[in-house]
Structure formats: C-alpha cells, structure tokens
C-alpha cells in the first residue's frame, strides 16, 4: 500500500463535465482524490447551498466511482476577503467560509484551503490586517466545531507569500484546526524575490502543514505554467516535505480549452508519482 495521496485540482478538467465524469477522469488518470473549488463565481459559490439531497447524491457518486473529494479550495475569499474594508464583503466572505466548512463536513472533505490574503483588490493596511486576524480567529472556531482543518495557502502578494508569514497567523490564532496548506510554486517565486531558500521556508512550517500544492511557476508568473517549463524544483520540495511527514499533495493546474486535457492529467500524475516512488524507496 502506497504511503501518500495525490489529489487533482478540479479546474484541471473542463467545467462542463458532471461530477461523475470529473471523478472518473481523475481516477482513470491515477489520482486518489479531487480538490473541489469554491471560487468567486456565483456558480461555484452556489455549491455551499446544496440541499441535503444534493449532498447525499454527491457522496453516493463518490462511492460509486470510488474516488473522494479530499480537499476544498475556497478562493472566493480572494474577492470576499476577510480583511476587507467593505462590511458587506466581509459578511459575505464569513458566510461563504462558514457554509464551506459545513459542506466539507457533510462531504467528508478533510481540509478547507483559504487564500492568505487580508485583501487582494484593495491596498493592505494596519486595519485590513487586524480585521483579517480577528475574522481568522472566528474561522478557526468554526473549524473546531465542525472538526474540519483550515489550511492557509501561501499566495503571490507580500502579505502571505511564505510559510514564515503564514506561521505568524497560525501562532496568533493558536488552534489545532488552523494550519498551512502551502503552494510550492508561489513559495518558489517568493524565495527568488527575497533571495532565500525555499526549503528552509518550508521547514518553518514543520508540524503545521496539512498538504502541499504542486504548482509550476516562473518568476512573476503564477498561473498556467506547464510542468517542466518553470523553475520549481519538485524533486527537492517533495523530498523535503516527505521528510517533514507530509503525505498529501495536489497537482494544481488549469484546463484552458485544449483537446488533450486527459493526457495532461496523466502527465502530471505520472511526473509526481515518479518522485514519490523515490521517497518510498
């Protein structure tokens, strides 16, 4: 029995697919689970209002196909940020987060990833940072009640682009249910920018990392960089993460209309599996 789990980001597949088709495609490509997206579109946000019957149908589909949802990406909190100066945006963000946690609990999702932004589209200030921390503490209480772990993602802006910065908020919130879900691509860009060691930064999260996003990047470019065309050292990152006891990983990339998207799923899975097999020895 292998000692790791490899997940697939939902957006690596066409949005037009049904959930059954997404689960089947991920399973056929060799993945162990799917990461569901709750992004800022109303279509994706509407998922948090699923009826009990719809939730049961989703769970039933997972069991029938034989592949679960393992993690949830609540990127809607980029727009509806927890530190926002607009009270209605903060209220919407907190509602989205609370209901995402409830949905995760119902669907068996173990980790809910939230972006490490106090604000994104607005300037960061002392007030936005303080508001983010205040609401993050509230979010931790929600997670504790539901028994679902929140994972802060390292992002591309100055606020939380390293594990070291994320650890500040993990420490200040002091909750067993608030941890870090880093993005090695974003971390690599930050390491180049700050002239620091990305593996040393990862080490600072020891004992507080739930899983790792395996995303390719280039300096200044954070999305849609094909594996092998960027500067992320996946071998070194996975070796370090493995030594730290991290056993859950997600390949994060995007479907952009190509006909051979299924081949892309297989390529990403096989690339990472070869590295995992080296760790298993």
């Amino acid at each position: 029995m292998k000692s790791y789990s490899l997940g697939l980001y939902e957006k690596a597949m066409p949005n037009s697919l049904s959930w059954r088709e997404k689960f089947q495609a991920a399973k056929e490509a060799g993945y162990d689970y799917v990461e569901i997206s709750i992004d800022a579109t109303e279509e994706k946000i509407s998922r948090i209002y699923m009826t009990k019957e719809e939730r049961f149908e989703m769970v039933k589909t997972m069991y029938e196909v034989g592949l679960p949802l393992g993690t949830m990406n609540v990127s809607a909190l980029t727009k509806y940020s927890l530190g926002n100066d607009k009270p209605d945006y903060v209220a919407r963000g907190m509602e989205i987060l609370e209901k995402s946690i409830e949905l995760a609990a119902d669907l068996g999702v173990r980790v809910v990833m939230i972006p490490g932004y106090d604000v994104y589209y607005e300037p960061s200030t002392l007030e936005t940072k303080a508001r983010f921390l205040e609401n993050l503490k509230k979010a931790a209480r929600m997670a504790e009640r539901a028994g679902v772990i929140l994972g802060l993602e390292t992002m591309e802006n100055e606020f939380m682009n390293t594990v070291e910065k994320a650890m500040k908020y993990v420490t200040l919130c002091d909750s067993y249910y608030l941890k870090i879900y880093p993005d090695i691509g974003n971390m690599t860009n930050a390491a180049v920018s700050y002239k620091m060691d990305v593996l040393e930064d990862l080490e600072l999260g020891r004992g507080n990392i739930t899983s790792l996003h395996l995303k390719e990047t280039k300096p200044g470019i954070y999305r849609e960089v094909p594996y092998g065309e960027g500067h992320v050292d996946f071998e070194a990152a996975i070796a370090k993460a493995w030594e730290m006891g991290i056993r859950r990983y997600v390949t994060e990339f995007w479907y952009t209309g190509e006909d051979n998207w299924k081949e892309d799923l297989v390529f990403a899975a096989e690339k990472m599996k070869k590295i995992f097999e080296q760790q298993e020895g």
Side-chain angles (χ1 to χ4, degrees):
M1 181 177 177
K2 68 182 184 183
S3 52
Y4 67 90
S5 289
L6 180 62
L8 175 66
Y9 185 42
E10 177 195 347
K11 288 189 176 183
M13 298 176 281
N15 193 43
S16 58
L17 299 181
S18 67
W19 270 113
R20 182 175 294 275
E21 289 169 329
K22 287 178 181 177
F23 288 132
Q24 287 174 334
K27 184 177 183 179
E28 288 167 6
Y31 290 91
D32 301 303
Y33 65 92
V34 172
E35 179 166 281
I36 182 174
S37 168
I38 308 292
D39 66 21
T41 64
E42 291 304 318
E43 176 209 351
K44 294 288 195 299
I45 291 174
S46 69
R47 291 172 167 178
I48 65 177
Y49 303 109
M50 277 187 200
T51 64
K52 287 183 178 180
E53 291 75 20
E54 289 170 329
R55 293 171 195 228
F56 176 74
E57 190 59 36
M58 175 79 93
V59 172
K60 186 166 173 279
T61 300
M62 286 189 274
Y63 273 87
E64 287 174 351
V65 175
L67 199 80
L69 288 172
T71 46
M72 178 184 288
N73 184 333
V74 190
S75 58
L77 299 185
T78 301
K79 178 178 180 179
Y80 300 106
S81 51
L82 302 186
N84 209 291
D85 286 324
K86 300 172 187 172
D88 55 329
Y89 273 53
V90 173
R92 186 88 198 275
M94 292 301 287
E95 179 190 5
I96 289 169
L97 184 49
E98 182 171 23
K99 291 192 175 299
S100 293
I101 291 170
E102 291 172 358
L103 178 63
D106 285 348
L107 298 181
V109 171
R110 306 303 198 253
V111 176
V112 172
M113 193 220 75
I114 58 177
Y117 297 126
D118 57 337
V119 287
Y120 182 74
Y121 297 105
E122 302 81 17
S124 183
T125 65
L126 281 174
E127 289 74 20
T128 61
K129 290 174 182 176
R131 192 176 299 115
F132 174 81
L133 176 57
E134 177 187 356
N135 287 321
L136 190 61
K137 287 179 178 178
K138 293 177 183 176
R141 303 292 89 79
M142 296 174 189
E144 289 163 0
R145 184 175 67 245
V148 172
I149 296 173
L150 293 180
L152 289 167
E153 185 178 24
T154 52
M155 306 309 293
E156 73 274 20
N157 66 5
E158 290 290 325
F159 180 70
M160 197 182 293
N161 54 358
T162 66
V163 167
E164 181 179 12
K165 292 178 180 179
M167 275 302 300
K168 169 185 173 180
Y169 288 91
V170 169
T171 301
L172 290 171
C173 289
D174 190 26
S175 171
Y176 287 114
Y177 286 84
L178 178 68
K179 300 298 178 183
I180 307 171
Y181 185 166
D183 183 313
I184 195 62
N186 295 345
M187 288 174 61
T188 300
N189 277 2
V192 169
S193 177
Y194 298 148
K195 296 179 173 57
M196 57 183 271
D197 186 340
V198 68
L199 303 184
E200 187 179 276
D201 184 44
L202 192 60
E203 171 67 34
L204 292 174
R206 183 177 288 270
N208 289 284
I209 295 178
T210 68
S211 26
L212 191 64
H213 256 175
L214 301 172
K215 185 180 75 178
E216 184 71 278
T217 56
K218 295 179 181 179
I221 303 175
Y222 293 84
R223 289 171 61 101
E224 298 176 12
V225 177
Y227 287 116
E229 296 184 18
H231 65 152
V232 178
D233 188 341
F234 292 104
E235 288 81 2
I238 290 172
K240 178 62 177 176
W242 193 275
E243 183 271 322
M244 292 169 62
I246 298 164
R247 293 293 183 271
R248 290 171 71 81
Y249 302 82
V250 169
T251 56
E252 185 183 24
F253 58 103
W254 288 263
Y255 166 75
T256 55
E258 56 278 354
D259 292 332
N260 64 334
W261 62 270
K262 285 189 176 182
E263 294 172 25
D264 290 341
L265 302 191
V266 173
F267 174 79
E270 292 302 319
K271 176 181 177 65
M272 299 309 169
K273 282 180 177 181
K274 286 177 183 176
I275 304 174
F276 294 133
E277 286 165 7
Q278 293 170 10
Q279 304 311 312
E280 290 188 312

